Amino acid sequence: MGKQSWKPGNMVYPLPAVLVTVRGREGRDNIITVAWTGTVCSDPPLAYISVRKERFSHHMLLESGEFVINLTTEALSKAVDFCGVKSGREIDKFQAMNLHRAKASKVGAPILEESPVNLECRVTQVLELGSHDMFLARVVAVDVDEAYLDAKGKFHLDKASPIVYSHGEYWGLGKKLGHFGYSVRRRS
């Protein structure tokens, strides 16, 4: 068996499937599902989201310059899909999916109470790249659900059952295969 050569495209899968919360200038909140997101830099802490110009949240992101990346779980998978296929122009996604917003500590956009981790972000640059604009942002606060902290304060995201997106499908994450540096660690 060999390899096929396909036309150029993005095949970096799986991707995190996150719910991004935004607040427009007029105070209206919205949720948008984003799979094109990730870490850019650790010092300073920078993240990005890429959003199509025609999406309802796009103008809100430009107006406010703030958003929250809310990590998702298997329990949130239906909301993740719903918030990606329904437009905030026509429906209040918080109400439709029975999601609860809470006040963020540093930005105006709300955090999702159901999310195990919320990354509060302020846009530093908008890159117009073609089909999507990339919103490069500084992470100004991280909110974690205490339900996933152990007695020593270590965070266990695996207990939240996070999900990923791959080729139009949502997947739960499987078993742990190792930890950073396990391939070179000496055995005693």
Side-chain angles (χ1 to χ4, degrees):
M1 222 178 345
K3 295 238 179 189
Q4 293 182 7
S5 183
W6 291 1
K7 70 177 183 172
N10 292 315
M11 293 290 292
V12 180
Y13 287 110
L15 300 163
V18 300
L19 291 170
V20 174
T21 46
V22 297
R23 177 169 289 155
R25 187 180 305 147
E26 73 289 344
R28 183 172 176 192
D29 296 337
N30 194 41
I31 309 170
I32 182 174
T33 299
V34 173
W36 293 23
T37 183
T39 299
V40 177
C41 186
S42 57
D43 187 17
L46 299 172
Y48 80 93
I49 59 172
S50 290
V51 178
R52 287 184 179 273
K53 287 179 174 71
E54 62 268 16
R55 297 294 298 261
F56 178 64
S57 293
H58 187 275
H59 81 277
M60 299 167 97
L61 289 161
L62 290 174
E63 290 172 2
S64 70
E66 298 178 337
F67 59 89
V68 178
I69 298 172
N70 301 276
L71 299 190
T72 59
T73 64
E74 289 180 16
L76 286 168
S77 64
K78 186 173 182 181
V80 171
D81 185 62
F82 184 90
C83 293
V85 297
K86 292 292 188 178
S87 175
R89 285 182 186 94
E90 300 141 11
I91 191 167
D92 179 338
K93 297 179 197 179
F94 290 93
Q95 183 179 356
M97 288 285 95
N98 196 30
L99 295 172
H100 302 91
R101 61 192 113 200
K103 185 172 175 20
S105 62
K106 302 280 185 187
V107 301
I111 64 171
L112 282 181
E113 288 184 2
E114 291 82 0
S115 173
V117 178
N118 320 93
L119 290 89
E120 299 180 34
C121 300
R122 284 203 181 103
V123 176
T124 60
Q125 188 175 4
V126 179
L127 301 169
E128 295 185 39
L129 300 174
S131 64
H132 290 69
D133 285 351
M134 181 196 304
F135 293 84
L136 181 64
R138 181 178 286 255
V139 179
V140 295
V142 177
D143 309 288
V144 297
D145 189 330
E146 292 174 343
Y148 303 106
L149 297 176
D150 66 19
K152 294 181 180 179
K154 181 179 178 184
F155 184 71
H156 295 276
L157 182 61
D158 57 310
K159 301 222 183 304
S161 301
I163 62 172
V164 294
Y165 177 81
S166 183
H167 264 16
E169 299 175 329
Y170 303 100
W171 293 85
L173 295 179
K175 64 182 178 183
K176 177 180 172 183
L177 302 176
H179 62 275
F180 180 76
Y182 85 100
S183 66
V184 295
R185 184 173 176 207
R186 291 187 192 181
R187 305 272 189 249
S188 7

